[in-house]
Each structure stands twice: as C-alpha cells, then as structure tokens.
Amino acid sequence: LNPNQDLPAIARQNMSVISDYFYKESASFPYLWQKRFFQLFEEDTGNYILYRVREGDGKPKGRIPIGKIMDVVPYTSKPTEQRFKILIPNRTYYMKAMSVDMRTRWDKAIRASIKKMEQGGSKQDGKALQQSVEQLGTVMAMQEVLTSVNNGMKFLDEVLSSKECFNEFAKHMGMNSYFDLAAYPALFEKLYRSIYSNAKFTVEVKLENTSSNDLAKEQFEKFLFIVEQRPLLPTLKAVDLEKKIGMAAKEVLKVTEKYQKEAVKVNNDDITNGINLIIDFFEMLT
C-alpha cells in the first residue's frame, strides 16, 4: 500500500523530494512556453514527476515516470544554459529553469532518483524492467538516427541557400528556386508522416516573414521541427525504419543524379560540389 494515497493533495505535495516552477514547452502547436509547478516524488510504488498549472492544484496536468527517463540533457554546453530536455520513449519534454542553479539541482535530483530505482530503492519486476530497458534502447536508437538524418538535410538546405549560383542553376533547369534542387523534402515528409503519430498537420509560413525563394525551405524545416516532437508509432521497428530510410534515400539519388549530369555541363565547381554533397549524404543512408 502507498502510505500517502489517502492524504489530501496539498499534503502530498509538501512531501515531494524537490519542487519548483518551470517553463514547459507545450506539446502541440503553437508550442508556447507555459509556467508549470513540478515535483519529484519517491515512493514504494515508484518514483515519478508530477506537474500542475500552479502549486496547490489538486489534479496534476501530467506525470513522468522516473523509470522511463532515458536522459536529461541541456540544450547547449553554455555555462549560462537554463533550458534542458527530459527524454522518454516517444516524447521529449522541453523545459526552462528559472536559473542555472535550478537546472543543475533538478538534473542531480532526477539522476539520483534514477539511480535509486536501479539499485532497488523502488519495487520493480526484474523481467519487466529488463524489457523496458531494451525497449528504451531501441526507441532512443531510432530517435538518434532520425536526428542525424534531419541534421544532415538541414545542412544541405544551408548549402543550397548559401550561393546565388544554385538559384541560377535551378532556373536553368526550369525550376523556380534553389530549393527545387532538393529532392529529399517531399520524400522524407511522406516518410515521416507514415512513422510518426499525429502527423497529419499542415505547415504554414507567412510570406511576409520570408522571401519567396526561401519559402519552401522554411516550410520544410518547420515541418521537421514539429514532427520531431511527435511520438514515433509504437509499432515501428528499427529494422523497418532502416529500410524505409534506405528506400527514400534511393529515390532522392535517382533524381539528384540527373542534376549531377547537368551540373557537369554547366561547369561550375560550386554547383557540382553542392550536388555531390547531396549524393554523398544519401548514399550513406542506402
């Protein structure tokens, strides 16, 4: 039995290991920073974090089991960084502390709570815990692969937008702008909408906030930002994800290799090198 279960909510809140107000990024568009009251509890039935709109509220807005936390990482390595991420399977909590000291205290408290559970401080079924760890490792590996792919595509976006010659080459090919040379946005958007949950959303970028040449690039990068915060489908397997990425990469190569042949005719080193970068990257994914 949980000795605290019959206590009033406000009394239980006072028994938390650590508690503070944070800003948490909302899980849905427009992804606003919302002030929430967070508490870490350690009990016989398990360790967990609860968060509420304000201290003293009876019903929590959410619960994060400590046993599901894969890692707690700051946004950057800057000594003044107050933001951090709590990673669990299929979701990332984006947080902002009121100070660097607060972020550090919570980082230590969460890690200490995880260690207590690993050492048997909370009741866990050994077999279930082993299966949970294996599952976490698989999900984390898939997320790392997708992050690497996305970072690579964003780098290629910057390459194509870095010089006017790519715009000129696109027009030479009968296209509207440099970003039409990127075959990967449409193919990988289609792929991501098939592997992420709740991925049937539209992406809008106002023209007054960007140039017409950059509009498609901004839309794609905004799509990546949104979809990265959605959970992967629970039925997705690592081997299937690898195959899907490989198939999409091959389709990108088919299109891009045509551009490569034309780039050689144009005889511009910047264009040739840029197209070759795209090919080299997606060849690594096949």
Side-chain angles (χ1 to χ4, degrees), residues 14-55:
N14 293 333
M15 299 178 69
S16 60
V17 175
I18 187 173
S19 60
D20 279 300
Y21 276 100
F22 286 91
Y23 285 102
K24 182 185 78 70
E25 188 177 83
S26 62
S28 58
F29 187 79
Y31 307 105
L32 302 174
W33 288 99
Q34 300 170 325
K35 194 174 183 180
R36 295 289 183 262
F37 184 66
F38 280 75
Q39 297 169 283
L40 191 158
F41 292 90
E42 294 178 351
E43 300 179 349
D44 288 342
T45 53
N47 302 350
Y48 55 90
I49 295 171
L50 294 182
Y51 58 92
R52 297 172 166 84
V53 173
R54 62 186 63 83
E55 184 177 5

Side-chain angles (χ1 to χ4, degrees), residues 123-174:
K123 296 177 181 177
Q124 294 286 321
D125 178 80
K127 186 176 181 181
L129 181 59
Q130 182 180 1
Q131 292 174 340
S132 176
V133 170
E134 291 172 353
Q135 182 184 14
L136 294 183
T138 301
V139 172
M140 184 164 60
M142 290 193 291
Q143 290 173 333
E144 288 176 353
V145 167
L146 291 165
T147 298
S148 297
V149 172
N150 293 347
N151 288 341
M153 291 191 292
K154 290 173 187 176
F155 170 74
L156 295 175
D157 292 352
E158 296 307 313
V159 170
L160 292 175
S161 63
S162 63
K163 296 185 178 181
E164 180 59 29
C165 63
F166 291 106
N167 248 337
E168 295 172 354
F169 181 62
K171 291 176 181 177
H172 167 76
M173 296 285 291

Side-chain angles (χ1 to χ4, degrees), residues 156-182 211-217 266 268 270-272 274-275:
L156 295 175
D157 292 352
E158 296 307 313
V159 170
L160 292 175
S161 63
S162 63
K163 296 185 178 181
E164 180 59 29
C165 63
F166 291 106
N167 248 337
E168 295 172 354
F169 181 62
K171 291 176 181 177
H172 167 76
M173 296 285 291
M175 302 172 179
N176 294 322
S177 74
Y178 68 86
F179 205 65
D180 292 325
L181 296 170
S211 69
S212 57
N213 280 339
D214 293 331
L215 185 61
K217 172 178 175 288
V266 172
N268 182 302
D270 288 333
I271 295 173
T272 301
I275 299 298

Side-chain angles (χ1 to χ4, degrees), residues 21 26 42 50 76 82 102 104 114 122 126 140 153 157 162 170 234 243 246 251 256-257:
Y21 276 100
S26 62
E42 294 178 351
L50 294 182
T76 69
Q82 296 172 219
M102 182 192 294
T104 303
I114 292 172
S122 295
M140 184 164 60
M153 291 191 292
D157 292 352
S162 63
K243 289 179 181 178
E251 292 300 315
T256 309
E257 284 168 358

Side-chain angles (χ1 to χ4, degrees), residues 36-269:
R36 295 289 183 262
F37 184 66
F38 280 75
Q39 297 169 283
L40 191 158
F41 292 90
E42 294 178 351
E43 300 179 349
D44 288 342
T45 53
N47 302 350
Y48 55 90
I49 295 171
L50 294 182
Y51 58 92
R52 297 172 166 84
V53 173
R54 62 186 63 83
E55 184 177 5
D57 282 357
K59 186 176 181 180
K61 295 287 290 183
R63 184 177 188 273
I64 307 172
I66 293 296
K68 287 191 174 182
I69 295 178
M70 298 182 293
D71 204 355
V72 180
V73 293
Y75 269 48
T76 69
S77 58
K78 295 178 181 178
T80 57
E81 184 61 82
Q82 296 172 219
R83 300 167 300 167
F84 65 100
K85 296 177 281 188
I86 298 176
L87 309 179
I88 67 171
N90 293 340
R91 183 169 180 185
T92 299
Y93 289 87
Y94 296 86
M95 312 279 291
K96 183 178 180 182
M98 302 301 177
S99 67
V100 176
D101 177 66
M102 182 192 294
R103 179 183 67 77
T104 303
R105 284 190 290 107
W106 271 80
D107 183 280
K108 291 180 179 178
I110 292 172
R111 293 184 187 281
S113 190
I114 292 172
K115 189 173 182 179
K116 286 180 182 178
M117 294 190 68
E118 291 173 346
Q119 293 175 342
S122 295
K123 296 177 181 177
Q124 294 286 321
D125 178 80
K127 186 176 181 181
L129 181 59
Q130 182 180 1
Q131 292 174 340
S132 176
V133 170
E134 291 172 353
Q135 182 184 14
L136 294 183
T138 301
V139 172
M140 184 164 60
M142 290 193 291
Q143 290 173 333
E144 288 176 353
V145 167
L146 291 165
T147 298
S148 297
V149 172
N150 293 347
N151 288 341
M153 291 191 292
K154 290 173 187 176
F155 170 74
L156 295 175
D157 292 352
E158 296 307 313
V159 170
L160 292 175
S161 63
S162 63
K163 296 185 178 181
E164 180 59 29
C165 63
F166 291 106
N167 248 337
E168 295 172 354
F169 181 62
K171 291 176 181 177
H172 167 76
M173 296 285 291
M175 302 172 179
N176 294 322
S177 74
Y178 68 86
F179 205 65
D180 292 325
L181 296 170
Y184 49 86
L187 289 163
F188 274 80
E189 179 175 334
K190 181 179 179 181
L191 167 61
Y192 286 1
R193 290 188 186 277
S194 72
I195 63 173
Y196 281 96
S197 298
N198 305 318
K200 295 180 180 180
F201 56 86
T202 58
V203 179
E204 295 183 2
V205 176
K206 294 182 179 179
L207 189 57
E208 58 263 29
N209 295 334
T210 186
S211 69
S212 57
N213 280 339
D214 293 331
L215 185 61
K217 172 178 175 288
E218 294 298 323
Q219 285 178 324
F220 179 58
E221 293 187 354
K222 187 173 182 180
F223 167 79
L224 291 180
F225 173 78
I226 296 173
V227 82
E228 282 175 343
Q229 299 180 65
R230 303 294 168 94
L232 292 168
L233 291 174
T235 55
L236 181 66
K237 297 180 180 179
V239 63
D240 294 330
L241 176 63
E242 184 179 358
K243 289 179 181 178
K244 290 175 182 289
I245 290 176
M247 291 173 61
K250 287 179 181 178
E251 292 300 315
V252 173
L253 290 171
K254 285 181 184 178
V255 177
T256 309
E257 284 168 358
K258 297 177 183 178
Y259 303 156
Q260 185 185 41
K261 293 177 182 178
E262 190 63 27
V264 172
K265 296 178 184 178
V266 172
N267 194 27
N268 182 302
D269 288 342

